[in-house]
Amino acid sequence: MRSFTYERVETPAAATAAFARTPGARFIAGGTNLLDLMKLEIETPAHLIDVSRLALDKIEATAEGGLRIGAMVRNTDLASDARVRKDYGLLSRALVAGASGQLRNKATTAGNLLQRTRCPYFYDTNQPCNKRKAGSGCAAIGGFNRLHAVVGASEACIATHPSDMAVAMRALDAAVETVDAAGKARSIRLADFYRAPGTTPHLETVLAPGELITAVTLPKPVGGTHIYHKVRDRASYAFALISVGAIVQPDGTGRIALGGVGYKPWRVEAAEADLPRGAKAVAAGLLAGAKTTHENAYKLPLVERTLAGVLAQAKG
Amino acid sequence: MQTPGDFDLSRRGVLVGGAASVAAATIVPAGGADAAPAATPASPPTAKVRFDVNGTARELELDTRTSLLDALREHLQLTGTKKGCDHGQCGACTVIVDGRRINSCLTLAVMHEGDRITTIEGLGLPDKLHPMQAAFIEHDGYQCGYCTPGQICSAVAVLDEIRAGVPSHVTADLGAAPQISAPELRERMSGNICRCGAYSNIIDAITDVAGAKA
Amino acid sequence: MKFDTPATTNPIDQMKVVGKPTNRIDGPLKTTGTAPYAYERHDVAANQAYGYVVGAAIAKGRIASMTLDAAKAAPGVIAIVTADNAGTLGKGDFNTARLLGGPGIEHYHQAIALIVAETFEQARAAAALVRVEYAREKGAFDLAAAVDTAIKPKASFGTEPDSAVGNFAAAFAAAPVQVDARYTTPDHSHAMMEPHATIAAWEGDKLTVWTSNQMIAWSVGDMAKTLGIPKENIRFDSPYIGGGFGGKLFNRADVLLAALGARIAKRPVKVALSRPLMINNTTHRPATIQRVRLGATADGKLTAIGHESWSGDLPGGGPETAVAQTRLLYAGENRMTAMRLAVLDLPEGNAMRAPGEAPGLMALEIAVDELAEKLGMDPVAVRVLNDTQVDPEKPSRPFSQRQLNKCLETGAEKFGWAKRSAKPGTTRDGRWLVGMGVAAAFRNNLNGPSAARVRLARSGVVTVETDMTDIGTGTYTIVAQTAAEMMGVPLDKVVVKLGDSAFPVSAGSGGQWGANSSTAGVYAACVKLREAVAQKLGMNAADAVFADGQVKAGRRRAALGDAAADGELVAEDNMEYGDLADKYQQSTFGAHFAEVGVDAATGEIRIRRMLAVCAAGRILNPKAARSQVIGAMTMGAGAALMEELAVDKRFGFFVNHDLAGYEVPVHADIPHQEVIFLDEADPTTSPMKAKGVGELGICGVAAAVANAVYNATGVRVRNYPITLDKLLDKLPDMA
């Protein structure tokens, strides 16, 4: 881990100002992924701005009938919130399917969205990885890629985004609120938040340098049955092979988002129109254009079968 | 299958040479970080931090890079908290901070200004065992003992989490308060790996302390 | 003491202390975090510096150049150890690859440098500043591709690579019912919770290492050979070991580099291997490809048993002895086994819990399940039918004890085996397909010479000293129980000191030989101490009765401590073995039963119930022994369902080299586990009449789970681990 200077800030404005002032700065909140990567020198900030004590730890009702979740709300607190449990069960379910109790006590809402891939080649600095070092190559292509992406990948990168929470957020039409160094706030639909790897897999989100996430907003509840099925070899404390987040309405319509298949939580709204026709049709739409390897081709039937199981469960 | 041998790196991935490329030596850069070395200052930045450990106020001046785990083990010589992986993958470093269990390896000590930290030594000592420690002994909920302090800190916090109504992956009804049961305990304890495989006994020990039937 | 005739009645048979499910005496230390592990010994040497290991970035080749300038100039750096300044180093007998590489590189993450700095943070940061250029050479990394190059290895530990009895080929060809199948088991990692760690300090030419090591005397000898110094100048101290499973049988880079670092830095140095380095830097259980052929009569009698295994290792390494159990487990007149070894340039393969039997039974016990199905017989019945009470290769040689059938039958009854549907894929519980599986467990019992010293103080306290280790096995407790039984004192009057090479040489912890061997050594020393006590008290040793802290002979009676009234009494002895293990085949047996649920949609496999029934001689402490077995069952569950080191066949390394990538079971994977020990005492093994049990527990577990998955789904998977991607296309349609 490289040496870094450290400061703690009390307001978002102080955070973004500190970023603008200090070359090589990074924000740190829960730190559960950033420190992990700093130990391996995959992340090498020269300055850490501790935003963990910003007063962004509230979950509030919005005027539109939705929720505004502060960026610093811990995963445990978000999963436990009575309103989330009642109206956004999918989010609560996805959160508690992720990581471990200890990590959820630390990890924040904003940090969860920004966590980086778990591709083992990304984690090994001896190996080529375009995400870690632009232009160095992708060792996962042609290597061990059982866990890798089947949709949205590029010839430069086939990594997946590991978040469970983000899958639920995507199905719930969440938006990310930010503020930049100039004090300018904006809201970004989660659908637009992650960048496709293309030839630049090291660029992962649309956030500008120094832009700070302040909250995630959820529109008003949509009702329905909320199911999050995370499929993994180990029963707990493991990243998803794939996951299916579903909101199914009594009339059979609904929303589906997938985890573990691409560089972002994967949702294809057009495919949802096929929900009344069943899992096969929806999966075909969701995974249109999928490109698999010898090791991860199983993800296509797995998505379809898991979705079928979820839809059967939703019917009761 | 792929033939081991030369490879070139390109944006299209790692191109592995064919059988014809027989073992020609290729110089590859490797080792350590990819980025150019940063200019290293004469001495690394430090920061002061004050926190309470097991009821005792502590003040440390630390290299900012020091994890809470290393602050406890190396600076305060409280070695009951274990380093199993240093990457949040095993739970051996679990401590309780302000009433919540966390992985002390994945948090910087300097971020804990003013915090109240409880380690295994703070729960109990050999002549004054915490009920959870006593139950682990009675149920043989450990073997090599290395994951044990983390398991015990986690177990104590898990019972509090259930009482506080925090849901888990196996909680059937998000609208109801979670109950203490073997499946709930197993799921919630899953962030604490025990390679010796004492799990079945650990769940018996926690169940015993919780006063519930397994 | 020499043990060369079967034991008769002795003080251990009183079973007042031995055989009781006593809580571990080290429990209060371990549960409070006050048991000191290697890296935590702040008290043993002042001014400890921190070492951080740099691993090679290639699997095979040479270091073309190494630039240390930036690392040397980094804050806090005291010294850097590389092959260039380490001096001439030998290689230990138990190491295949060198512990410090350079300029030649033998495997990925082979240690090439140690950075010694004032703090851990400084050492780690400076390690990243080491610049290395490599000349990469072609290597062999794919076992399947290397099979054709595999050769017949030389015999190791007296085991020939091939065996043959009768005419296997003819008998198999003629058998009306045949199984001929190939199975694969992947590379496994020990993944013990405590990383390999050492503090080293020199005093003149004398080296002390506080380390984490299962086999103290072996490792002292190997370190002497590696450093080129006399054994007498080296002390190992390893009182607490955070798990080993075979991964700490031998010296690893931490101990050598700590010693070299301390020599060059001229101060004590502490080194722990970082978790992401451990898997490729240290040893692993090698992958196997196995072919099992079974030929049987229509009524289920085995007539032909053939088992072949291919594995790989670095040049100079050995095979995974996966066929070993097949020579002894079942009757059958015509038999063959063969092992073949390929050169692979992956990290060093070596022993992991039940080497040989663990992967061997993963294959053999699926094959027996397949045979049972072809025969239309119950898998328990097929095994019972083919029991043998003698060594099948040498019928004049009986098993000392063999209750395999009773294990199987007891387990079947307790587990509710009768409720199993013989037709696979027919039991359903909601979304779960449910199935049951069984497998036999077999592991040879090994005994090794083991010495101990016992001291009697005036207070009546008995202190045991031996270099035996407790790797979580319960050694502290069973050694104390043995001494307490022998000397007639309560457990709290016994102090046990372990793991110090200054103590008499024990059998160490490996091959499940530790419990019986080390307690037998304590027994021998206690016999001598009893003689000394009797002599001191003027009693005839043969008549003296040691009980309740007193010694009685006829009408005479004295407190035990009185014998040490004018000074501590010390006795030492070494238990050695005659040829009983040649006359009798000493083995341990068991039966594993598992019930699994398989998600009909996703193929996710979850274990619902597990039972082991074990026949393993006298159980010295049923509580600790049960823990050994449930722990082994857990590791077996991992082998069945998730554990696999993923090989990058281009670059030659294990890709998933941390605890997030290499999945081992967590709490949620493991149900409540039941263990039953059959009542046994084997007088041929030692005066303790005990055998090993810690490795028996893993033998057969994975196959029982695999057979349960088959019973649940009708899908036979022969390539471990059994993951959902191998089931998916054969599960019932979801439409």
Side-chain angles (χ1 to χ4, degrees):
Chain A
M1 189 187 293
R2 300 275 178 84
S3 288
F4 55 84
T5 48
Y6 168 84
E7 72 180 299
R8 185 162 45 241
V9 294
E10 307 295 334
T11 65
T16 53
F19 190 94
R21 191 168 61 231
T22 332
R26 288 289 306 266
F27 301 124
I28 185 167
T32 51
N33 190 215
L34 181 59
L35 286 170
D36 176 28
L37 295 169
M38 285 168 65
K39 289 179 185 196
L40 299 165
E41 297 207 5
I42 294 162
E43 298 270 12
T44 54
H47 183 68
L48 282 185
I49 302 161
D50 180 354
V51 295
S52 66
R53 299 189 191 208
L54 299 186
L56 301 173
D57 58 349
K58 307 282 186 306
I59 304 171
E60 299 160 320
T62 63
E64 296 76 33
L67 284 184
R68 173 177 287 106
I69 301 157
M72 294 305 135
V73 172
R74 306 286 166 171
N75 287 178
T76 298
D77 296 326
L78 184 54
S80 305
D81 183 87
R83 291 159 295 185
V84 173
R85 287 159 76 164
K86 178 167 164 288
D87 295 330
Y88 305 95
L90 181 63
L91 178 56
S92 194
R93 287 287 181 206
L95 281 160
V96 296
S100 68
Q102 292 94 313
L103 291 163
R104 294 192 295 268
N105 279 341
K106 260 294 180 189
T108 62
T109 306
N112 189 314
L113 292 176
L114 294 175
Q115 64 180 302
R116 307 196 68 189
T117 186
R118 294 286 163 169
C119 171
Y121 295 99
F122 173 72
Y123 265 79
D124 187 333
T125 52
N126 293 327
Q127 301 303 322
C129 171
N130 290 318
K131 184 185 278 297
R132 177 166 30 78
K133 187 180 181 187
S136 64
C138 172
I141 296 172
F144 169 58
N145 52 34
R146 176 173 180 259
L147 310 172
H148 286 71
V150 293
V151 283
S154 73
E155 291 184 336
C157 182
I158 57 170
T160 59
H161 194 268
S163 173
D164 293 296
M165 183 193 80
V167 176
M169 295 279 201
R170 180 69 182 88
L172 291 165
D173 281 336
V176 180
E177 294 189 350
T178 69
V179 61
D180 68 12
K184 189 163 161 284
R186 64 166 171 159
S187 176
I188 308 159
R189 297 190 321 147
L190 191 62
D192 304 326
F193 186 75
Y194 296 104
R195 295 169 64 135
T199 57
T200 56
H202 58 293
L203 303 175
E204 294 172 349
T205 71
V206 298
L207 292 180
E211 190 174 3
L212 179 73
I213 298 176
T214 53
V216 175
T217 56
L218 300 178
K220 69 178 187 209
V222 296
T225 300
H226 290 216
I227 297 172
Y228 188 73
H229 193 138
K230 181 177 184 179
V231 182
R232 42 192 165 178
D233 297 319
R234 182 156 92 176
S236 186
Y237 200 23
F239 293 96
L241 298 172
I242 63 110
S243 67
V244 173
I247 301 172
V248 184
Q249 302 297 344
D251 64 1
T253 63
R255 303 173 179 188
I256 304 293
L258 304 177
V261 297
Y263 66 91
K264 64 177 180 179
W266 200 257
R267 183 175 171 200
V268 179
E269 276 84 345
E272 290 165 3
D274 281 327
L275 269 169
R277 292 176 51 210
K280 199 175 194 71
V282 179
L286 275 166
L287 301 172
K291 203 171 160 223
T292 62
T293 70
H294 167 64
E295 290 190 341
N296 71 11
Y298 74 93
K299 289 193 176 189
L300 304 188
L302 181 58
V303 164
E304 184 187 316
R305 296 183 67 97
T306 307
L307 183 56
V310 164
L311 295 180
Q313 190 189 337
K315 266 190 203 158
Chain B
M1 63 150 274
Q2 277 124 358
T3 306
D6 296 358
F7 69 93
D8 296 304
L9 306 181
S10 83
R11 293 189 155 199
R12 300 198 48 182
V14 179
L15 306 177
V16 178
S21 61
V22 181
T26 306
I27 304 290
V28 297
D34 292 324
T40 41
S43 61
T46 62
K48 271 210 176 84
V49 63
R50 283 162 300 179
F51 44 57
D52 174 296
V53 183
N54 302 330
T56 305
R58 302 282 199 164
E59 182 169 343
L60 295 167
E61 170 102 26
L62 295 171
D63 186 321
T64 51
R65 294 171 291 185
T66 312
S67 67
L68 177 59
L69 174 62
D70 286 328
L72 293 168
R73 281 169 64 83
E74 305 303 325
H75 295 264
L76 299 176
Q77 302 196 0
L78 286 168
T79 53
T81 308
K82 304 303 183 194
K83 185 183 281 190
C85 72
D86 216 17
H87 286 276
Q89 302 163 352
C90 79
C93 67
T94 302
V95 299
I96 302 169
V97 176
D98 292 337
R100 293 175 165 224
R101 57 182 172 142
I102 64 165
N103 296 123
S104 62
C105 73
L106 284 189
T107 189
L108 294 171
V110 295
M111 292 177 75
H112 288 277
E113 179 69 28
D115 285 354
R116 195 167 38 84
I117 298 155
T118 303
T119 71
I120 188 70
E121 295 95 339
L123 288 180
L125 290 168
D127 55 357
K128 200 181 174 193
L129 297 169
H130 183 281
M132 192 65 78
Q133 292 167 325
F136 268 61
I137 295 173
E138 189 57 37
H139 291 275
D140 213 35
Y142 59 99
Q143 291 175 39
C144 81
Y146 200 76
C147 75
T148 311
Q151 299 276 357
I152 291 172
C153 284
S154 216
V156 168
V158 157
L159 294 182
D160 288 342
E161 284 168 18
I162 295 175
R163 287 184 201 111
V166 174
S168 89
H169 179 59
V170 299
T171 305
D173 180 2
L174 283 179
Q179 302 298 307
I180 292 170
S181 67
E184 279 283 2
L185 294 176
R186 283 184 199 121
E187 164 59 26
R188 290 166 191 269
M189 289 297 294
S190 286
N192 290 87
I193 292 175
C194 171
R195 185 56 161 163
C196 294
Y199 295 134
S200 185
N201 289 352
I202 291 171
I203 297 304
D204 288 350
I206 302 172
T207 303
D208 194 353
V209 172
K213 286 244 184 301
Chain C
M1 181 178 288
K2 181 119 189 215
F3 183 75
D4 50 11
T5 54
T8 53
T9 303
N10 68 50
I12 297 297
D13 294 323
Q14 300 172 92
M15 303 272 283
K16 287 186 193 162
V17 193
V18 168
K20 295 280 187 285
T22 309
N23 288 343
R24 287 168 201 254
I25 62 173
D26 46 339
L29 294 180
K30 284 182 171 172
T31 57
T32 58
T34 49
Y37 295 81
Y39 199 76
E40 302 165 355
R41 310 286 295 269
H42 289 286
D43 56 319
V44 294
N47 205 24
Q48 296 171 13
Y50 291 79
Y52 198 88
V53 178
V54 180
I58 62 166
K60 192 179 182 195
R62 275 183 313 105
I63 294 173
S65 72
M66 198 173 199
T67 310
L68 302 175
D69 301 355
K72 272 183 187 157
V77 171
I78 300 162
I80 299 178
V81 179
T82 68
D84 285 342
N85 66 352
T88 306
L89 296 176
K91 187 162 73 66
D93 295 338
F94 294 99
N95 293 133
T96 305
R98 289 166 301 135
L99 297 177
L100 176 61
I105 299 298
E106 295 162 285
H107 63 86
Y108 195 72
H109 277 172
Q110 184 173 29
I112 56 169
L114 180 80
I115 312 297
V116 180
E118 296 290 343
T119 72
F120 171 71
E121 292 75 22
Q122 290 169 334
R124 180 178 58 192
L129 297 173
V130 174
R131 285 285 167 272
V132 188
E133 299 223 316
Y134 297 94
R136 191 189 292 260
E137 289 167 22
K138 186 174 174 173
F141 309 120
D142 181 353
L143 176 61
V147 155
D148 293 340
T149 67
I151 54 140
K152 184 170 161 177
K154 59 180 191 280
S156 66
F157 292 103
T159 304
E160 292 294 331
D162 289 0
S163 70
V165 175
N167 186 338
F168 170 79
F172 181 72
V177 183
Q178 297 175 339
V179 169
D180 180 356
R182 276 175 188 269
Y183 306 85
T184 62
T185 64
D187 298 284
H188 288 155
S189 182
H190 308 86
M192 72 295 278
M193 298 314 297
E194 182 206 21
H196 300 74
T198 300
I199 299 172
W202 291 86
E203 226 175 294
D205 58 0
K206 301 226 190 285
L207 170 68
T208 302
V209 295
W210 295 269
T211 189
S212 186
N213 186 292
Q214 300 175 225
M215 297 293 300
I216 300 300
W218 286 4
S219 298
V220 169
D222 258 12
M223 189 51 46
K225 195 170 173 193
T226 306
L227 290 171
I229 64 175
K231 274 200 292 194
E232 296 67 36
N233 288 2
I234 299 175
R235 181 183 157 221
F236 269 53
D237 189 29
S238 187
Y240 291 96
I241 296 148
F245 315 113
K248 293 175 180 169
L249 287 167
F250 322 119
N251 294 316
R252 300 304 316 166
D254 58 301
V255 59
L256 175 64
L257 289 174
L260 294 171
R263 186 156 74 185
I264 293 171
K266 297 187 168 52
R267 62 190 266 198
V269 169
K270 60 197 281 187
V271 178
L273 300 185
S274 72
R275 181 62 65 174
L277 190 81
M278 277 172 66
I279 283 178
N280 285 284
N281 178 267
T282 67
T283 62
H284 66 278
R285 186 203 301 285
T288 66
I289 297 171
Q290 302 179 47
R291 181 187 188 192
V292 181
R293 283 175 288 174
L294 302 176
T297 61
D299 57 1
K301 280 270 188 194
L302 282 165
T303 53
I305 304 174
H307 193 166
E308 295 153 88
S309 174
W310 292 262
S311 61
D313 202 356
L314 288 167
E320 178 69 22
T321 57
V323 304
Q325 71 290 322
T326 307
R327 297 174 61 176
L328 290 161
L329 187 50
Y330 296 114
E333 279 178 28
N334 304 285
R335 336 174 52 95
M336 66 80 64
T337 69
M339 292 185 282
R340 293 295 177 268
L341 176 65
V343 168
L344 289 182
D345 298 295
L346 291 169
E348 178 171 335
N350 218 313
M352 177 169 152
R353 198 172 203 165
E357 280 100 330
L361 285 162
M362 287 168 79
L364 178 65
E365 288 300 282
I366 292 184
V368 173
D369 203 63
E370 299 196 50
L371 179 70
E373 186 177 39
K374 284 195 174 178
L375 288 162
M377 284 179 71
D378 185 279
V380 170
V382 170
R383 290 178 172 91
V384 167
L385 181 67
N386 288 290
D387 185 47
T388 172
Q389 293 293 313
V390 296
D391 178 347
E393 292 181 3
K394 207 175 171 189
S396 62
R397 185 168 170 260
F399 282 93
S400 61
Q401 285 187 342
R402 177 169 163 133
Q403 298 200 71
L404 175 60
N405 284 1
K406 194 168 176 195
C407 290
L408 288 160
E409 286 159 352
T410 303
E413 190 199 325
K414 298 283 183 193
F415 200 68
W417 183 253
K419 294 201 193 91
R420 170 182 174 271
S421 168
K423 189 162 184 255
T426 55
T427 305
R428 189 90 186 222
D429 174 11
R431 68 188 174 105
W432 298 96
L433 301 162
V434 180
M436 289 189 220
V438 65
F442 174 95
R443 173 80 172 133
N444 268 341
N445 180 69
L446 303 166
N447 300 320
S450 197
R453 183 157 57 222
V454 280
R455 301 174 181 275
L456 174 64
R458 194 171 170 176
S459 59
V461 169
V462 177
T463 301
V464 185
E465 297 171 343
T466 167
D467 81 356
M468 181 60 193
T469 49
D470 188 332
I471 59 173
T473 36
T475 311
Y476 277 104
T477 310
I478 58 173
V479 162
Q481 287 175 281
T482 303
E485 192 82 76
M486 289 299 291
M487 302 311 299
V489 297
L491 210 53
D492 62 5
K493 292 284 186 200
V494 182
V495 174
V496 180
K497 297 183 178 177
L498 301 179
D500 189 332
S501 62
F503 299 150
V505 174
S506 72
S509 297
Q512 78 168 11
W513 62 61
N516 182 50
S517 300
S518 69
T519 54
V522 174
Y523 172 95
C526 285
V527 167
K528 275 207 169 167
L529 184 61
R530 286 164 63 112
E531 289 166 3
V533 166
Q535 188 187 14
K536 200 82 184 170
L537 296 174
M539 299 175 184
N540 185 345
D543 304 335
V545 176
F546 291 71
D548 307 320
Q550 301 203 316
V551 192
K552 286 178 276 187
R555 269 172 292 166
R556 299 198 48 197
R557 167 192 296 261
L560 178 65
D562 291 353
D566 41 322
E568 184 183 59
L569 284 189
V570 184
E572 182 176 331
D573 202 6
N574 184 28
M575 181 62 83
E576 294 170 292
Y577 294 87
D579 62 355
L580 288 175
D582 300 326
K583 286 183 185 154
Y584 300 93
Q585 175 57 40
Q586 299 170 350
S587 303
T588 61
F589 299 89
H592 287 288
F593 292 80
E595 182 181 279
V596 303
V598 180
D599 187 312
T602 65
E604 287 166 287
I605 305 162
R606 302 292 179 250
I607 300 176
R608 302 179 143 206
R609 296 192 293 135
M610 296 182 94
L611 165 70
V613 185
C614 301
R618 176 175 280 158
I619 300 302
L620 302 174
N621 180 329
K623 189 177 270 194
R626 180 180 173 281
S627 287
Q628 283 294 289
V629 176
I630 66 167
M633 290 159 78
T634 301
M635 200 176 272
L641 298 180
M642 63 191 81
E643 291 187 37
E644 175 175 26
L645 289 168
V647 179
D648 188 307
K649 293 166 190 166
R650 305 160 303 171
F651 302 142
F653 72 108
F654 300 128
V655 183
N656 49 344
H657 53 72
D658 60 25
L659 286 175
Y662 184 79
E663 290 185 3
V664 301
V666 296
H667 275 279
D669 291 298
I670 302 300
H672 182 76
Q673 295 164 318
E674 299 282 352
V675 181
I676 297 168
F677 292 112
L678 298 187
D679 194 18
E680 267 195 5
D682 189 334
T684 72
T685 61
S686 85
M688 303 303 295
K689 304 177 185 173
K691 295 179 189 172
V693 72
E695 297 189 341
L696 176 68
I698 193 175
C699 294
V701 177
V705 173
N707 294 337
V709 172
Y710 177 73
N711 184 242
T713 62
V715 183
R716 182 70 75 182
V717 178
R718 300 184 183 88
N719 304 306
Y720 290 97
I722 302 168
T723 47
L724 59 90
D725 43 315
K726 297 170 187 170
L727 299 177
L728 223 44
D729 62 345
K730 301 181 195 77
L731 288 178
D733 205 27
M734 285 298 289

